[in-house]
Every structure is written in C-alpha cells, then in structure tokens.
Amino acid sequence: MRKQTLDKRLLVGGAIDIVINIWPLRFLFALLFITYTAKISGQDSLGIKPTYQYSLLELSQLKTITGSIKEVKVNKSPSNITVVTAKMIEDRGYQTLVDICQDIPGFDFMLYNEGNGEYPTHSMNRGIGEVGNSEILVMVDGIIQNNISFNWSSLWTFENMLIDIERIEIVHGPGSVIYGAQALTGIIHFITKSNQERIIVKPFFGSYKTRGADVLVGTKIGESAHFSLALHTLYSDGDKGLNRYDPGEYFKEKRYPVYFTKDYNYDGDLLYNQPNTSYGGKAIPEGFNTSQTSFAIRSKLQLKKSTLGFFYNDYLRGYGPTIVSYEYDLTDKENTTHYRTFHAYFNNNAPLSDKLQLNSSVVFRGTNIIPDGGFKYLYRFPNLRKSYGAYAYQGYIEERLDWNVNERNDFSLGLKASLSRKSDRVVSLGDYPSNKYSTSSSWDEAVKDDGSLNVPKAYPVFNVSEVALFGLWNKQWKQLSYSLGLRYDYSSEFGNIFNPRMTFDYHPSDYFGTKLLFGKAFRQPSIFELVNEFRGNPNLIPEKIYTSELQLRSLLFNEKLSLKTNFYLSVIDDRIGKVNDPTSLSGERFENIERMTITGMSFDLNRQLHKYIRYNVNYNFIVGLDNNEIYTINRTAKHKLNAGLNTVLFKERIIGDMRMNWVGKRKAPDENVWINTYEGGYAPSYLKFNMALSYKLSPNLKFQFVVNNLFDEQFYGIGRETGSAFADDYHHESNINPDGLIPAYHPQPGRTFLINITWEQPSNMITKAWDKI
C-alpha cells in the first residue's frame, strides 16, 4: 500500500514538475486558466474594444494601401497582408522592426537587434535572404529605404522610430508589379500618422545604461494645413556580450597571438612575423562591443492634397558577435559601424475629374556608410583600423493616373524614372577616407606583399538610370474580385524585365473568403556584386521569383475567432550566389546559380475570449523541394510557433501583454564546421518569452515595464553566410590565423528590462498660439 501511495505521489509530482518546467506547457496552462476564468465571468458585448483597439471584424476590414495602391480592406486586398497597428506596437512594448517580425510568420534572424556588423541586418523571409537581406523591400510612406548601392533593407533596429507610426503593412510574397526591384519575398511598409493633434513625450531607460526619448508633436496650422514632427534618440552601453551563451568559446578564454604576421613600422616599412611584446600570450578581453547610439527626425507638412516630408537618421553601433574575437579586437570602443541616411519628398494628389486622379511624387534620398569606425586585427597591423565607407544618392519622380471607372472597376497606370549615383565600398587601412569617393590609405594596396601604407585610391562612381511603367486593373463583383497587374522595368545596369501579378478573391461574406494569388518579382544585382574587384561579375542578371499562393480566411463564433491559413510555392530562378573562381582575387565570384524551390504554409489565429482578453497564435512551416524530395533550408527553422496574450484590467488602467516565440532547430550550411561537429548540423531550437505591463497613472500619463527574454533563455542565431570559422583551430602560438572570419553562431542577450514613461495631451495650445500669430 505504501509503495502504491509513493508511486502515486511520484506520478503526481512528476506531472506537476512537467507543467512547471516545460515552458510551452506553462503557456498553454495559462491560456486554459484564463479561458476558464473568462467563461465563468460571462461574455460581454464586443461593442467596446479595449484589447488592441479594434474588434476582430474591424481588424479584417482595416484600410491598407501597400498591396493595391488605393485604399482597400485587408481581407479584400490583392495581396497577403499582415497589419501591425499602433496600439499593438504600444501594448507590446516593441522597440524595433526586429521585435515585431519575430512575432510574424516567415521571418528568421541570424542576428537580431545588433544588426550584422557592416551590414544592416542578416534576416531571411520565407527561406530566402542573405547578409543585408536585399530580398525584401522596406518603405516609409511609400518612399523606398533600401540601400541605393547595395540593395540592403534597412530600418530594422534602432535607426528607426515607432512613435509616429500609424500601422505597419507587411506584404508576404512578391511585390514588384507595383514597387519594382527588391520586393522579392515581400514588403514592409511603415505608414506614419496623419492629422494628429497631440503631443507625446516618451522617455525610456533600461538594462545596460540604455536611455533615450521619443517625441511626437502634431498640430493644425490654420484651417487646412497640418504639421507633425517626431524625434528619436537612444544610447546604450550594451551588455558587451559578457554573459551570453557561448558554448564554442568564440568570445572568451582566448589569448593574444605571440607575433604579428604583418606590421608597418613608423617609417612605413612592411615587416613580417614581428613579436607581440606587449600582449603576446595574455588573455584577450572577453565579449564584444554591443553599444548603440541613434538619432532620428521625421516630419511632414500636409496642405489639402499635398504633402512635404523629410526623414533623417544617424546610427552608430558596435559590431556585436559578427566576427571572431581571437582574430579581431571586438572590445575596442571604435569597433563600430556608422550609417547615415535621409530622404525628402513631395507628394501631390490632383483630381482631374470625378473619376480621374493624378498622383505625383518627387523624391531625393541618400544612403551613406560613414567610415569613422571599423575594426582592428589582433594578428596583423595591430595599430591600424580597417574601415568601410560608401555614399550613394538617388532622385526619382513617379506619376500615377488612377481611373475610377465605376463602383466596381478601377485602373491605375504608373510611370517612374530615377537617376542614382552609386559607388562600391571604400575600404581603408589606417587613416579614414579623406572624402566620399577615395581613400588616402587603400586597403587592397596596403595588404599586398609589396604594398605600402597611405596609398591613395579613388573608387569608381556609377551613374545608373532606370525607368518603369506599370498598370493595375481591379474588378469587383458581389462575391468575386480580381486584380491583374503588369510592370516593365529598364535599368542601365541589367537591362529589361517584366513582372506580372494575378489575384482572384472569392468572398461570399465578411466571415469567409479565399484568395488565389500568383506573382513574379525580382532583385537586381548590387554594385558590390557587379563590380567589386574581389568577387564582382558584370554579367549578372536579376534574381527572379515566381510564387503561387492560396489563402483561406474565416471569422467565427460571433466575430470572436479569426483564422487565416496560407499555402505557398515559390520558385527562385537565377539566384545570385558565390562560386569558386581561382582567377578572382578572393578565389570566388558572384554568379547566377541553380534554381531553388520552396514551399510552406502558415496559419494565424486570433481569439477574443472576452472584451478584456484576447490571444493570438501563429505557426509557420517551410521546406525546400529538390526533385520532389523535401529538405531543410539552411539557416531557416522548418517549424516556428508564436503566441500572444493581451489582457485589460481594472477599468482599463492596467494592460498586460505576453508573447512567446518558439523557433525550431535550424540547419547549418555544410561549411559551418563547429555546428556540424558539435550540434549534429543543427542549431538548437529555443523558446523565448517577452512581457509588457502598462499602468495608466492618469488620463495623460502612462508607465510601462517591459521584460524581454523573460526566463533568460540561452540561445544563439546561426552564423551568417557560411559561419565557417572553427574556434578549436585557433592557438595563440601555432595557428594565429585559422580559416574563416565568421563564427558558427551569434550569442544573443539574456533577460533585459525597459521602462517607458509616456505623457500625452492634445496639442490645441499650439494651435491657439498659431492662431494668435
């Protein structure tokens, strides 16, 4: 009897232990408990929507513009769109686009809010992406933000601000028929607030001496004008990477090399194999620079049918864990990369008649890499810094004629022409470049065996002209609509390309619908891929994708449950990758390589349990296909699951929001020797929770406490590019320069805290002051 009692106790104790210690079960248990308590408290009317501001029906009917140019409801857009509203951004305590996209199906990150060294990001979308992720297009109010020379997407981390964002429209799938190059796997479109008459001041501070502030001022000017101004500033020491999960010891327990393979003396003579008398054999400081400094300003003036806007950002950050610490000085305070970008634009909407409207845009923008940072080697040139600089500018005009034929039929015809001044990166060793297009100390000259320091070199500048013509026709019946689009692009870089799109949408009611989508899109080769002396290939042609997609959507249980499911198949042709080339300076070159086929599915569920409780769950499955055989795509999780819970308590004074990200194991490339040796070829899965708790102190003042990585999960992003560095090969005496410069993985932060204090009030006092003037 005692043994049976003991067995029962062990069984019960084991069950309790499982519930307590397995994180997914914790979350599901919490959902079940909240569901039960919501049911016994009664089902209130959804006439008031305190959770995320909108009811599920209203969310499905939000007006969007990215997929169709003109305003159209989300559920009837000719694209697969996810909308992130300002209230979601606020309640969830999001700071960056990386934070947001971790909760969206389809996105994978190799590095997260630390970017990717000299690149702005290394993320993937629907199994496609490389350093910089130039396969996705990022826009602000219709203005392209991708790097002009290198096509990299931007605004992923702290160089952007979210305080003035009305919503973010994320298009999943090809978008080139309207927006041209780089809309290969999708579009991320920031829509800023309009006609806001209020002042918001939001100081914040958190872990690792993080502090900053966001400010938004919006006011009327006279009877017909409106002005808004948003400011953002942030500084953080970062955690310096000291306590992050580093199982392969890429960033700790290493010693300085005992000699330098190459060095320059004070007379400028190149010396070989010189002893490291100062530090040889001593311990290298652990960790890496994770500091962040950013400033951004965005403004716009709206007058009747015209808008004049401006955006500027300056962003300096540490390299983070992007290169290995035993070959490079990663703790140096100048181990940084510096971006500075801007755009200015003028838009005008001119009605020509009751049915015709002409939309005109003039844009000028710049994307610059400022060469006042860089990194030092530990095994050569110990007193000299390698830095990157690049400056590019672009101007374009766009004219679009919209013809509203009747209530159910409309047509748009667009013309865009642009001129770009592009340049390859200026790479210096020692002195920083003296101007935008040359360097006084050329890297490629200084590293030659017979090279010399401080050799000036001018980098070529490329003037590129492009023109595009597109048409889009939308037809609506009672229960069926279709959208047909075609775009022609010509570029002096790559020639001509056509991109079609077709969408058929059957929607018998607001509660059920299905879409069939087909689209083609392209990514143009970058200046670096075309002309760089180490790997460039001037014969590259654009990378292309063909995507077919089926969407099913429904709204059930008296508008309290919404479900969207998507199935897609993508074929990528003429992918731009690297191949071996012994005639190249680097031993490899860029080339259009073999076709790739990807298939996947996602579902997104939202459940309104009570007018004060809502949760959401989304899941993503993605694999590659090769001769009808399924395989796991490098650096992409086959399975990902996200969930979130939003609750409103105490007469809407307290808002609690919790989110979960479970990312399955990710396959490492064959070149990633460490993961293939020690992790069986796959980076481990991870489960991460984030929490935001908001308390309204008064109608004008709110306090928010944000915890990221709540349970201090130890995890890492898989190594960018090949991740071929193998830490075990390094020895400070016998092998000071092993193969590979990219670590097998990138350790990510543990638990961090952030406090936001938001003060808000109407801006009528500014309006009254203006009226007196």
Side-chain angles (χ1 to χ4, degrees):
M1 179 66 72
R2 290 183 60 190
K3 184 177 184 302
Q4 290 179 348
T5 302
L6 181 62
D7 288 344
K8 288 180 180 179
R9 288 177 180 175
L10 289 174
L11 183 62
V12 172
I16 294 173
D17 187 65
I18 288 173
V19 171
I20 292 176
N21 290 292
I22 299 180
W23 301 120
L25 290 181
R26 286 188 187 187
F27 193 80
L28 292 175
F29 180 78
L31 283 182
L32 289 172
F33 176 76
I34 292 169
T35 303
Y36 173 74
T37 56
K39 285 182 177 179
I40 64 174
S41 65
Q43 294 292 335
D44 288 351
S45 166
L46 295 183
I48 300 175
K49 288 81 59 176
T51 49
Y52 293 144
Q53 188 177 2
Y54 298 105
S55 71
L56 297 182
L57 177 61
E58 288 172 330
L59 277 176
S60 71
Q61 296 180 340
L62 285 177
K63 295 292 184 67
T64 65
I65 60 173
T66 310
S68 58
I69 298 179
K70 72 166 192 174
E71 284 192 342
V72 64
K73 295 177 181 178
V74 175
N75 58 356
K76 296 179 181 178
S77 170
S79 299
N80 174 17
I81 294 184
T82 296
V83 177
V84 180
T85 67
K87 192 68 164 61
M88 292 175 184
I89 293 171
E90 179 183 342
D91 284 0
R92 295 173 182 177
Y94 287 138
Q95 279 191 288
T96 68
L97 181 59
V98 170
D99 295 339
I100 293 167
C101 287
Q102 287 182 79
D103 292 337
I104 304 295
F107 288 91
D108 285 270
F109 292 90
M110 311 314 117
L111 288 109
Y112 296 71
N113 276 319
E114 290 156 346
N116 193 28
E118 68 269 31
Y119 303 96
T121 182
H122 186 190
S123 60
M124 301 176 70
N125 183 30
R126 289 191 166 187
I128 304 168
E130 280 292 342
V131 287
N133 196 353
S134 55
E135 290 79 5
I136 195 165
L137 188 70
V138 178
M139 302 188 300
V140 175
D141 291 332
I143 311 302
I144 294 171
Q145 301 298 305
N146 289 52
N147 187 281
I148 296 165
S149 292
F150 310 119
N151 304 336
W152 304 328
S153 55
S154 64
L155 304 188
W156 284 97
T157 53
F158 299 100
E159 70 270 39
N160 194 23
M161 65 182 110
L162 300 177
I163 193 169
D164 65 336
I165 299 301
E166 178 66 31
R167 66 186 184 276
I168 303 172
E169 299 180 4
I170 300 175
V171 174
H172 307 271
S176 287
V177 73
I178 301 176
Y179 302 105
Q182 280 59 266
L184 193 84
T185 64
I187 300 164
I188 298 173
H189 193 183
F190 294 90
I191 312 292
T192 61
K193 296 173 180 175
S194 296
N195 302 319
Q196 293 290 307
E197 296 183 40
R198 55 180 173 166
I199 301 171
I200 303 174
V201 179
K202 181 182 173 183
F204 56 84
F205 54 94
S207 302
Y208 310 114
K209 297 183 180 179
T210 298
R211 65 266 193 193
D214 292 323
V215 177
L216 173 64
V217 178
T219 184
K220 286 182 66 176
I221 301 176
E223 292 298 322
S224 57
H226 185 275
F227 175 75
S228 66
L229 174 70
L231 297 171
H232 162 78
T233 182
L234 174 141
Y235 176 80
S236 176
D237 284 346
D239 66 353
K240 307 184 189 306
L242 294 174
N243 299 311
R244 299 194 187 186
Y245 183 50
D246 182 15
E249 297 184 350
Y250 279 89
F251 305 98
K252 60 187 177 185
E253 298 188 12
K254 296 292 187 292
R255 297 185 177 276
Y256 282 102
V258 298
Y259 67 96
F260 304 117
T261 58
K262 291 181 180 181
D263 193 12
Y264 280 96
N265 63 19
Y266 290 106
D267 297 324
D269 300 320
L270 182 60
L271 306 176
Y272 296 89
N273 300 325
Q274 298 297 299
N276 184 354
T277 55
S278 299
Y279 295 101
K282 295 181 180 179
I284 298 173
E286 296 184 353
F288 37 82
N289 185 357
T290 58
S291 64
Q292 309 264 358
T293 303
S294 69
F295 172 78
I297 178 171
R298 187 156 48 218
S299 68
K300 64 181 177 181
L301 175 64
Q302 297 169 283
L303 178 61
K304 295 182 179 179
K305 299 291 185 178
S306 298
T307 303
L308 181 66
F310 175 77
F311 177 42
Y312 169 89
N313 66 72
D314 187 283
Y315 185 35
L316 180 73
R317 69 174 178 218
Y319 261 67
T322 60
I323 48 181
V324 293
S325 68
Y326 49 81
E327 293 185 32
Y328 307 90
D329 187 353
L330 298 189
T331 60
D332 178 33
K333 66 179 182 179
E334 292 187 53
N335 182 263
T336 57
T337 185
H338 191 179
Y339 300 98
R340 185 177 294 153
T341 66
F342 68 89
H343 73 247
Y345 68 94
F346 174 76
N347 291 338
N348 181 65
N349 300 324
L352 303 179
S353 70
D354 291 341
K355 295 187 176 183
L356 288 175
Q357 179 168 280
L358 182 64
N359 300 277
S360 305
S361 297
V362 180
V363 178
F364 182 73
R365 67 189 191 101
T367 55
N368 303 323
I369 303 171
I370 311 301
D372 56 2
F375 54 84
K376 289 181 179 178
Y377 291 89
L378 296 182
Y379 67 92
R380 59 176 175 174
F381 312 126
N383 301 308
L384 302 174
R385 187 179 309 280
K386 184 179 181 181
S387 63
Y388 298 96
Y391 298 81
Y393 304 95
Q394 182 182 74
Y396 64 85
I397 60 172
E398 187 167 359
E399 298 284 351
R400 193 183 78 244
L401 183 66
D402 295 332
W403 180 22
N404 187 23
V405 181
N406 53 48
E407 290 183 357
R408 300 180 179 274
N409 201 357
D410 62 82
F411 179 77
S412 296
L413 182 66
L415 174 67
K416 179 179 178 180
S418 68
L419 291 174
S420 305
R421 183 178 176 88
K422 304 182 181 184
S423 73
D424 196 1
R425 290 187 294 182
V426 179
V427 189
S428 304
L429 182 65
D431 293 337
Y432 296 128
S434 55
N435 61 58
K436 295 181 178 181
Y437 302 114
S438 66
T439 174
S440 59
S441 183
S442 169
W443 160 260
D444 52 347
E445 292 296 327
V447 297
K448 291 180 180 178
D449 288 340
D450 58 348
S452 58
L453 196 60
N454 298 323
V455 174
K457 182 176 181 179
Y459 274 63
V461 173
F462 302 88
N463 295 309
V464 178
S465 59
E466 297 172 304
V467 65
L469 179 68
F470 69 89
L472 190 65
W473 179 29
N474 299 307
K475 177 72 174 180
Q476 172 77 48
W477 284 286
K478 290 184 178 180
Q479 297 180 344
L480 179 67
S481 64
Y482 67 79
S483 176
L484 305 177
L486 180 65
R487 181 182 176 109
Y488 165 79
D489 283 86
Y490 167 80
S491 170
S492 59
E493 279 184 329
F494 62 78
N496 308 276
I497 190 168
F498 284 93
N499 290 279
R501 186 186 78 178
M502 294 179 290
T503 301
F504 296 90
D505 184 6
Y506 176 63
H507 43 268
S509 72
D510 288 332
Y511 301 96
F512 175 78
T514 181
K515 293 179 189 176
L516 183 62
L517 308 98
F518 170 79
K520 177 189 172 189
F522 75 103
R523 176 180 83 85
Q524 68 187 85
S526 70
I527 282 293
F528 182 77
E529 292 164 333
L530 288 167
V531 303
N532 183 265
E533 60 187 309
F534 290 96
R535 301 183 183 90
N537 179 357
N539 299 314
L540 293 174
I541 61 175
E543 189 173 317
K544 296 176 280 289
I545 192 170
Y546 306 83
T547 296
S548 301
E549 187 159 355
L550 173 66
Q551 180 184 104
L552 304 173
R553 62 186 186 275
S554 57
L555 192 60
L556 306 170
F557 303 124
N558 295 322
E559 303 170 11
K560 295 174 185 175
L561 185 146
S562 68
L563 180 63
K564 182 177 77 171
T565 306
N566 285 75
F567 305 88
Y568 57 89
L569 177 72
S570 294
V571 178
I572 305 96
D573 261 345
D574 300 313
R575 282 193 305 137
I576 298 173
K578 297 173 186 174
V579 298
N580 293 329
D581 183 359
T583 65
S584 173
L585 291 175
S586 63
E588 59 184 8
R589 73 172 188 277
F590 288 107
E591 188 61 84
N592 292 108
I593 56 179
E594 72 278 359
R595 170 178 290 191
M596 182 179 184
T597 302
I598 294 173
T599 187
M601 66 83 64
S602 65
F603 79 77
D604 197 327
L605 179 148
N606 287 269
R607 179 73 165 100
Q608 189 83 44
L609 294 171
H610 182 274
K611 76 174 182 178
Y612 296 121
I613 302 173
R614 182 186 297 180
Y615 71 83
N616 65 279
V617 179
N618 65 68
Y619 167 78
N620 185 78
F621 171 81
I622 184 169
V623 292
L625 293 176
D626 186 12
N627 293 323
N628 297 320
E629 302 250 338
I630 292 177
Y631 67 91
T632 303
I633 302 168
N634 283 342
R635 298 184 294 272
T636 294
K638 184 186 295 185
H639 304 280
K640 285 184 292 183
L641 179 69
N642 304 308
L645 176 69
N646 184 263
T647 60
V648 180
L649 305 170
F650 301 108
K651 297 182 180 180
E652 303 179 28
R653 293 182 68 89
I654 295 179
I655 297 175
D657 204 283
M658 179 171 283
R659 307 186 317 282
M660 177 198 81
N661 306 120
W662 178 78
V663 177
K665 61 182 183 179
R666 294 142 288 156
K667 185 179 181 301
D670 293 339
E671 298 88 349
N672 193 315
V673 182
W674 190 90
I675 290 181
N676 280 285
T677 301
Y678 294 110
E679 302 276 23
Y682 288 83
S685 63
Y686 66 87
L687 179 66
K688 182 163 63 76
F689 288 81
N690 302 305
M691 182 195 77
L693 185 65
S694 305
Y695 178 65
K696 186 175 286 188
L697 299 167
S698 74
N700 302 99
L701 187 63
K702 186 174 70 175
F703 174 90
Q704 185 180 57
F705 181 58
V706 180
V707 185
N708 290 314
N709 197 357
L710 179 64
F711 297 111
D712 204 22
E713 175 81 350
Q714 297 189 73
F715 71 107
Y716 55 70
I718 199 167
R720 68 175 173 93
E721 297 179 292
T722 60
S724 57
F726 191 62
D728 298 27
D729 288 343
Y730 176 77
H731 191 274
H732 65 284
E733 294 177 331
S734 60
N735 191 8
I736 64 173
N737 180 26
D739 290 337
L741 61 95
I742 306 300
Y745 54 79
H746 307 291
Q748 292 304 302
R751 184 189 299 111
T752 60
F753 304 92
L754 185 75
I755 293 174
N756 297 311
I757 301 172
T758 304
W759 175 80
E760 178 179 352
Q761 78 165 39
S763 61
N764 53 2
M765 61 181 183
I766 299 177
T767 305
K768 291 177 181 178
W770 180 267
D771 290 340
K772 290 181 180 180
I773 295 173

